[in-house]
Amino acid sequence: MSEYWVSHKRYFCKYCNIYIADDAPSRRQHEGGLKHKGNVERFVRGLYKGGKKCKQDLEEEQHEMACI
């Protein structure tokens, strides 16, 4: 069984959709950057917006069912 060689491990940032070196200084520098912070904020805002929309759709559905 052969294993493939990896020179350096890479870390994938799910908010920015990029790979960076998987070591403490690189991750700390990336996570402290304005672009990363903005992407995290946009992700969280999207979660809240999606939850609010889902709740509103559920209320509309219940109202329609009550009318029927």
Side-chain angles (χ1 to χ4, degrees):
M1 183 185 266
S2 64
E3 299 176 24
Y4 69 93
W5 179 76
V6 177
S7 63
H8 297 287
K9 291 197 173 214
R10 307 292 279 167
Y11 169 75
F12 181 73
C13 178
K14 67 179 182 178
Y15 304 112
C16 302
N17 295 327
I18 61 168
Y19 285 96
I20 57 173
D22 193 17
D23 56 357
S26 296
R27 287 177 72 169
R28 187 171 35 242
Q29 182 179 4
H30 171 72
E31 291 171 357
L34 291 176
K35 188 173 184 180
H36 175 77
K37 289 180 181 179
N39 288 338
V40 170
E41 185 178 331
R42 187 178 313 121
F43 178 78
V44 172
R45 194 176 329 125
L47 288 177
Y48 281 115
K49 192 179 245 185
K52 192 175 183 180
K53 174 126 177 74
C54 183
K55 186 177 178 182
Q56 184 180 14
D57 290 344
L58 182 62
E59 289 174 356
E60 287 177 10
E61 181 181 327
Q62 289 175 350
H63 178 71
E64 289 295 321
M65 292 302 287
C67 290
I68 293 175

